[in-house]
Amino acid sequence: MPALVLLGAQWGDEGKGKATDLLGGSVDYVVRYQGGNNAGHTVVVGDQKYALHLLPSGILSPECTPVIGNGVVIDPSVLLSELSGLNERGVDTSKLLISGNAHIITTYNVTVDKVTERFLGKRKIGTTGRGIGPTYADKINRTGIRVQDLYDESILTQKVEAALEIKNQLLTKLYNRRAIEAGQVVEELLTHGENIKQYVADTTLILNNALDEDKVVLFEGGQGTLLDVDHGTYPFVTSSNPTAGGACTGTGVGPTKISRVIGILKAYTTRVGAGPFPTELFDEDGEALRRIGGERGVTTGRDRRCGWFDAPIARYATRVNGLTDFFLTKLDVLTGWEQIPVCVAYEIDGKRVEELPYSQTDFHHAKPVYENFPGWSEDISKAKTFDELPKNAKAYVKALEEMSGAPISAIGVGPGRTETIEINSFI
């Protein structure tokens, strides 16, 4: 059963879009299984750059069917805008499928997200303010709006009114904001429902049938392992499960059908938003990584925090996801450094720690223990095989592979679709 999961092995922004797009021509379905439009992917095809926020990267592969699974939260206005933008550029989006069980980000979810974050002040989490967290909270509280609700006005009205009874109390009495009128929200959602109706389907049935027919299905995670609400650097995390287990709950496909789990691993480390980051750089090296790597959030537009590669994080990702392979991205960004430090362990309270500490307090106080590797100055963007890489680049890759606990099966040597060295086939 050729089902693959592809996910971020760090804090997100590892280059999942490129990896998914690379595989898109070989797979039949690409499925987003969690997150919302807080997860951005950049895909470069020829001289064209595409920024995707909600849609699966496979939408750029004509033979592939893109799917938004039940674990995703959808802002309909963002979705429709993204579809329109791709259509204007000649991309066929007609094959898109959307789960009727996916939850809808309403205007009041966005409002609550923004005012709550402002209210927290210095204690803010660093959310994107797009309503993702409040929508997942509604889902867990069983007060959420699902895609299928947009096609029953009576049910939709009841749910919106019930949700606003509580939220308007919060907005008016705590945040001194105006109450939101339920009728206006319902009218807007009904319009959105009509505009996306052609895409809505029983995606769980479709995907399971596809796997039974030996079709290849790729499950694409947003964000990254360290942003997982259960396994990440809580509370500085997203509100869903980007880890491999989320692919099952977010699509309705059982774990026994998944044959391979691929972790996307940047050759250095970045993160967006607040939270601990042991290898973060505040010097010229950090600024160089940011500039050369183009480290600016696709969705947020915020500069990413940059640091050296963190091996304990990679080992942790291997463990909690059951990774079978790594796709190492942005190796080319490191060209030009004489020495490249790698964090091989942490020092916590004077003790060397080899693994990611489970305690938030310990992780906040973790100091990186570095091992230096000789760099290279040769341009590697034209390399097509591993042997064509400079000696020091090959040694660096082999060292990361050994420290991370899973084989590196592909290497990104540039941003383009073709600038990839494939060592072992994923399919």
Side-chain angles (χ1 to χ4, degrees):
M1 289 168 284
L4 304 89
V5 179
L6 188 146
L7 51 86
Q10 293 156 315
W11 274 289
D13 307 309
E14 301 95 346
K16 293 180 292 296
K18 176 182 179 178
T20 306
D21 179 65
L22 182 71
L23 294 167
S26 306
V27 303
D28 300 294
Y29 294 82
V30 174
V31 192
R32 272 287 303 277
Y33 60 82
Q34 52 73 224
N37 55 302
N38 57 344
H41 299 316
T42 299
V43 180
V44 179
V45 181
D47 60 352
Q48 295 291 309
K49 181 183 288 187
Y50 298 87
L52 304 175
H53 306 280
L54 190 56
L55 292 167
S57 301
I59 201 159
L60 299 175
S61 299
E63 303 304 316
C64 181
T65 299
V67 180
I68 296 177
N70 59 273
V72 178
V73 292
I74 300 170
D75 185 324
S77 60
V78 172
L79 175 63
L80 290 166
S81 175
E82 201 165 321
L83 287 169
S84 175
L86 289 176
N87 289 333
E88 289 175 2
R89 297 177 69 177
V91 177
D92 180 14
T93 61
S94 62
K95 296 175 73 174
L96 174 68
L97 299 175
I98 300 172
S99 170
N101 288 338
H103 279 247
I104 294 290
I105 300 171
T106 66
T107 52
Y108 55 78
N109 292 134
V110 177
T111 298
V112 168
D113 196 4
K114 289 179 177 178
V115 298
T116 301
E117 189 77 345
R118 282 199 294 268
F119 184 78
L120 288 172
K122 293 181 180 179
R123 296 184 300 278
K124 66 182 180 181
I125 297 170
T127 77
T128 58
R130 286 166 167 77
I132 282 67
T135 303
Y136 276 113
D138 282 358
K139 176 178 178 177
I140 299 303
N141 287 328
R142 293 161 292 181
T143 59
I145 310 296
R146 296 189 294 177
V147 170
Q148 60 175 280
D149 297 330
L150 306 185
Y151 308 106
D152 188 319
E153 185 173 353
S154 175
I155 287 177
L156 179 62
T157 302
Q158 290 176 49
K159 287 191 170 185
V160 170
E161 288 176 347
L164 284 176
E165 277 186 20
I166 300 172
K167 287 179 173 56
N168 277 335
Q169 295 289 322
L170 182 72
L171 290 171
T172 58
K173 295 183 178 178
L174 180 60
Y175 298 126
N176 197 30
R177 297 289 295 258
R178 282 184 298 196
I180 296 172
E181 201 272 310
Q184 184 177 346
V185 175
V186 170
E187 183 178 345
E188 183 182 69
L189 290 175
L190 288 171
T191 300
H192 285 320
E194 284 304 309
N195 289 332
I196 65 171
K197 192 171 185 177
Q198 69 188 87
Y199 307 112
V200 180
D202 184 351
T203 56
T204 294
L205 178 63
I206 291 169
L207 292 173
N208 277 284
N209 285 345
L211 288 169
D212 289 342
E213 295 167 4
D214 290 329
K215 299 287 179 65
V216 180
V217 179
L218 178 65
F219 300 99
E220 174 189 58
Q223 290 92 26
T225 296
L226 272 295
L227 291 178
D228 187 281
V229 69
D230 286 296
H231 303 291
T233 49
Y234 190 90
F236 305 101
V237 293
T238 193
S239 300
S240 57
N241 294 106
T243 45
C248 298
T249 55
T251 63
V253 172
T256 56
K257 294 190 175 182
I258 293 172
S259 54
R260 210 157 181 180
V261 184
I262 305 161
I264 312 304
L265 194 64
K266 197 177 286 186
Y268 48 101
T269 311
T270 63
R271 78 170 295 175
V272 172
F277 184 178
T279 67
E280 184 172 10
L281 296 169
F282 302 94
D283 57 9
E284 292 179 1
D285 284 333
E287 184 53 42
L289 287 173
R290 186 177 298 109
R291 183 184 69 255
I292 299 168
E295 296 299 348
R296 179 176 286 262
V298 178
T299 296
T300 64
R302 293 181 287 186
D303 283 342
R304 295 176 186 140
R305 300 157 64 190
C306 296
W308 299 121
F309 187 85
D310 190 318
I313 282 176
R315 287 195 290 273
Y316 179 76
T318 301
R319 185 167 74 249
V320 299
N321 291 297
L323 296 180
T324 59
D325 304 82
F326 278 115
F327 187 137
L328 185 70
T329 63
K330 291 198 170 184
L331 183 65
D332 54 299
V333 173
L334 297 180
T335 299
W337 267 272
E338 276 190 37
Q339 295 285 322
I340 304 173
V342 170
C343 173
V344 297
Y346 304 126
E347 182 185 310
I348 303 173
D349 294 332
K351 296 180 180 178
R352 182 183 173 106
V353 177
E354 302 286 338
E355 301 294 341
L356 198 74
Y358 78 91
S359 163
Q360 175 183 331
T361 301
D362 285 348
F363 195 52
H364 269 282
H365 292 96
K367 297 177 182 178
V369 176
Y370 286 118
E371 181 177 335
N372 289 318
F373 290 82
W376 59 92
S377 59
E378 301 93 329
D379 177 14
I380 65 171
S381 62
K382 302 297 189 293
K384 298 300 180 186
T385 67
F386 184 72
D387 287 338
E388 291 177 20
L389 290 174
K391 176 184 174 182
N392 289 347
K394 288 192 286 187
Y396 183 76
V397 171
K398 284 295 185 184
L400 298 195
E401 181 178 67
E402 186 175 340
M403 293 181 213
S404 301
I408 293 174
S409 294
I411 304 168
V413 293
R417 176 183 268 180
T418 61
E419 293 174 315
T420 303
I421 296 171
E422 190 171 343
I423 301 172
N424 297 307
S425 175
F426 290 121
I427 299 174

